[in-house]
């Protein structure tokens, strides 16, 4: 792979998924290949076995290297979510040296103050989003309101070191759901102002809230499609991969089959007795999906009330991720949030990659592309490029 190739590693509860891409001369992103491996040692953002997780990541990367028919790259980015992240809002206030005049140094001091207000020494900030900047106290003070995403230093350092020992030097670790939301936001039709981006995967629901078009809050919740799979395993006495198959099969069927006495052949290799009534599957899957949507709503509603109530109505929920693609999830989320709900996916990618399961990877790789574009070019560095680079370093966006 040449120097401009980027690897995006999306560490999910179910799978580690890797996208390899390259910036095209016209600035667009071309995908060279994908790779995936079952995740071991990581669940809903909690790393239980860092060596096993490193092995899963290496396996997925080896797959993409084979698929893209290339060797490793200098530009590797890794996305995390769930409990490994802390998401907080904070205010930083400073006294202005000169009344009514806000200097770049004042702005930097205010952002530093906001960071100090939430970060303890065990955490490192990954992203800081400015929500509001205002001059207060009759022009004598300056205040910034930020949303900050940070991660435990031990996790960041442990992963960086172990991956380096396995031949993968990370250029950055990001919050997968956050960079995905920021990428998809630019592609939404109609440019909504007040909306929620929601990536529901196997174990986590990453929710990112926008008010007045600005990212103002987020949460990574421990709810996902695994809950439905577990119920199916119990209810039908099947193993995990069989339950996954049945769940996907059900997702393709029309709810009109309900109350029609329809019996489905849900047999897999090695089973002959799995003839299951549609209504039985409906009861299990729909009640769990409703419960997940209700829990997500309960957790996110206070954020919506705080940030969107003052700015108007919640216009839409944009759903993605494996469990977000289920038609029942779309219906249940729409009902819980009382808002227009639709599925989003990386439409800019070629059809074979444009799946909601790749949205987080797409966000990570787009972040990598942006970073690469803002890097100084060998032999010269423009003043504007240098400024953008500095600003990005300060805000970590
Ligand atoms: N067609 C489908 N119908 C129903 N469920 C699906 C479908 N495709 C994937 N899923 C479910 O989506 C989940 C996997 O989604 P995804 O790959 O986004 O999760 P992940 O990134 O591994 O985990 P997480 O982000 O939650 O840590 C699984 O629960 C899987 O059963
Ligand atoms: Mg995911």
């Amino acid at each position: 792979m040449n120097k401009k190739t980027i690897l995006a590693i999306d560490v999910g509860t179910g799978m580690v998924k890797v996208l390899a891409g390259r910036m095209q001369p016209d600035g667009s992103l071309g995908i060279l290949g994908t790779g995936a491996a079952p995740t071991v040692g990581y669940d809903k953002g909690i790393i239980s076995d860092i060596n096993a997780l490193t092995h899963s990541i290496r396996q997925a990367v080896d797959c993409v290297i084979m698929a893209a028919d290339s060797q490793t790259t200098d530009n590797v980015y890794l996305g995390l979510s769930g409990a490994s992240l802390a998401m907080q809002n904070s205010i930083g206030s400073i006294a202005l040296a000169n009344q009514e005049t806000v200097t770049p140094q004042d702005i930097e001091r205010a952002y530093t103050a906001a960071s100090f207000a939430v970060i303890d020494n065990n955490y490192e900030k990954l992203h800081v989003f400015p929500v509001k900047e205002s001059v207060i106290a009759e022009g004598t003070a300056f205040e910034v309101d930020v949303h900050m995403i940070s991660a435990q230093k031990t996790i960041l350092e442990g992963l960086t070191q172990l991956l380096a020992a396995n031949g993968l030097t990370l250029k950055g670790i990001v919050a997968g759901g956050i960079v995905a939301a920021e990428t998809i936001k630019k592609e939404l039709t109609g440019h909504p102002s007040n909306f929620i981006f929601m990536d529901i995967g196997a174990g986590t629901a990453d929710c990112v809230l926008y008010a007045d078009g600005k990212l103002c809050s987020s949460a990574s919740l421990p709810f996902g499609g695994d809950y439905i799979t577990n119920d199916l395993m119990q209810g039908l006495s099947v193993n995990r991969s069989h339950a996954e198959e049945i769940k996907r099969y059900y997702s393709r069927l029309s709810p009109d089959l309900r109350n029609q006495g329809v019996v489905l052949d849900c047999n897999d290799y090695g089973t002959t007795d799995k003839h299951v009534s549609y209504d039985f599957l409906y009861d299990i899957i729909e009640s769990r999906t409703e419960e997940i949507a209700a829990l997500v709503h309960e957790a996110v509603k206070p954020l919506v009330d705080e940030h969107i109530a003052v700015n108007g109505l919640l216009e839409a929920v944009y759903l993605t991720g494996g469990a977000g693609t289920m038609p029942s999830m779309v219906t249940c989320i729409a009902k819980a949030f009382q808002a227009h709900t639709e599925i989003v996916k990386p439409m800019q990618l070629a059809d074979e990659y444009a799946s909601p399961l790749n949205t987080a990877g797409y966000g990570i790789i787009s972040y990598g592309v942006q970073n690469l574009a803002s890097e100084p070019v060998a032999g010269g560095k423009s003043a504007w490029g240098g400024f953008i680079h500095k600003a990005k370093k300060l805000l970590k966006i």
Side-chain angles (χ1 to χ4, degrees):
M1 292 183 193
N2 76 17
K3 192 172 172 287
K4 297 224 164 116
T5 300
I6 299 161
L7 276 195
I9 304 170
D10 169 25
V11 181
T13 299
M15 302 286 275
V16 175
K17 300 178 277 293
V18 185
L19 285 179
R22 188 178 290 161
M23 218 158 68
Q24 312 288 5
D26 66 357
S28 67
L29 172 68
I31 298 296
L32 302 171
T34 59
T39 303
V40 185
Y42 175 95
D43 187 20
K44 306 180 188 74
I46 297 171
I47 300 179
S48 53
D49 183 342
I50 199 163
N51 288 302
L53 176 60
T54 305
H55 183 68
S56 294
I57 294 172
R58 187 67 244 192
Q59 269 186 321
V61 169
D62 287 343
C63 283
V64 84
I65 286 174
M66 265 197 305
D69 193 19
S70 307
Q71 290 309 304
T72 47
T73 164
D74 298 330
N75 299 296
V76 186
Y77 292 86
L78 181 136
L80 293 173
S81 66
S84 51
L85 304 176
M87 282 117 160
Q88 293 147 296
N89 280 62
S90 160
I91 291 176
S93 285
I94 53 126
L96 286 172
N98 294 314
Q99 274 208 11
E100 308 274 358
T101 313
V102 183
T103 64
Q105 290 76 17
D106 291 329
I107 297 176
E108 191 171 339
R109 278 197 302 132
Y111 277 99
T112 309
S115 310
F116 276 135
V118 286
I119 282 202
D120 75 38
N121 278 341
N122 301 321
Y123 280 79
E124 186 171 320
K125 66 180 177 218
L126 300 182
H127 311 277
V128 182
F129 292 92
V131 179
K132 203 168 122 200
E133 293 180 348
S134 36
V135 174
I136 54 163
E138 291 165 357
T140 60
F142 177 66
E143 187 174 272
V144 292
D145 198 336
V146 299
H147 182 62
M148 189 177 317
I149 296 98
S150 47
Q152 280 175 40
K153 275 185 187 160
T154 46
I155 292 181
L156 301 179
E157 287 165 6
L159 271 176
T160 305
Q161 282 165 15
L162 269 174
L163 286 170
N166 281 272
L168 277 175
T169 306
L170 292 184
K171 203 151 186 192
I173 296 184
V174 297
I178 297 288
V179 292
E182 284 287 273
T183 306
I184 291 291
K185 175 193 146 186
K186 295 178 197 141
E187 299 170 8
L188 295 174
T189 45
H191 302 290
S193 296
N194 301 323
F195 65 94
I196 302 171
F197 168 90
M198 205 178 276
D199 178 340
I200 310 186
T204 53
D206 284 333
C207 305
V208 186
L209 185 66
Y210 287 84
D212 265 349
K214 275 190 187 164
L215 194 160
C216 60
S217 193
S218 66
S220 200
L221 310 165
F223 314 121
D226 271 358
Y227 285 107
I228 305 167
T229 310
N230 291 342
D231 275 8
L232 288 172
M233 284 167 70
Q234 280 191 7
L236 302 173
S237 300
V238 293
N239 64 26
R240 174 165 291 278
S241 64
H242 194 168
E244 284 283 340
E245 282 306 314
I246 294 171
K247 187 168 72 172
R248 281 161 213 241
Y249 175 33
Y250 171 89
S251 286
R252 292 194 298 271
L253 301 174
S254 161
D256 295 345
L257 295 180
R258 199 174 170 218
N259 295 327
Q260 303 291 318
V262 173
V263 175
L264 304 166
D265 181 351
C266 293
N267 281 297
D268 198 2
Y269 298 111
T271 64
T272 51
D273 60 337
K274 302 301 171 198
H275 292 95
V276 185
S277 88
Y278 177 86
D279 292 356
F280 185 66
L281 279 189
Y282 180 96
D283 288 344
I284 295 182
I285 294 176
E286 297 302 322
S287 57
R288 242 332 176 202
T289 310
E290 254 175 48
E291 200 180 314
I292 293 170
L295 288 167
V296 170
H297 178 253
E298 195 183 315
V300 174
K301 172 99 178 20
L303 306 179
V304 174
D305 288 347
E306 183 185 341
H307 295 279
I308 291 187
V310 282
N311 291 299
L313 273 180
L314 174 66
E315 289 163 70
V317 179
Y318 295 97
L319 259 184
T320 197
T325 62
M326 295 174 72
S328 350
M329 192 63 84
V330 180
T331 312
C332 291
I333 289 287
K335 203 168 138 198
F337 282 84
Q338 292 289 302
H340 166 77
T341 302
E342 66 179 70
I343 295 174
V344 286
K345 54 188 183 179
M347 296 295 285
Q348 306 295 320
L349 300 186
D351 283 356
E352 65 265 43
Y353 306 117
S355 152
L357 280 94
N358 282 336
T359 307
Y362 175 55
I364 299 165
I365 207 162
S366 303
Y367 176 93
V369 167
Q370 249 182 32
N371 245 14
L372 204 59
S374 65
E375 272 181 5
V377 188
K381 180 176 172 184
S382 74
W384 180 244
F387 172 75
I388 297 281
H389 191 67
K390 258 173 101 177
K392 280 193 165 172
K393 240 175 116 185
L394 176 67
L395 295 178
K396 289 209 163 196
I397 51 178

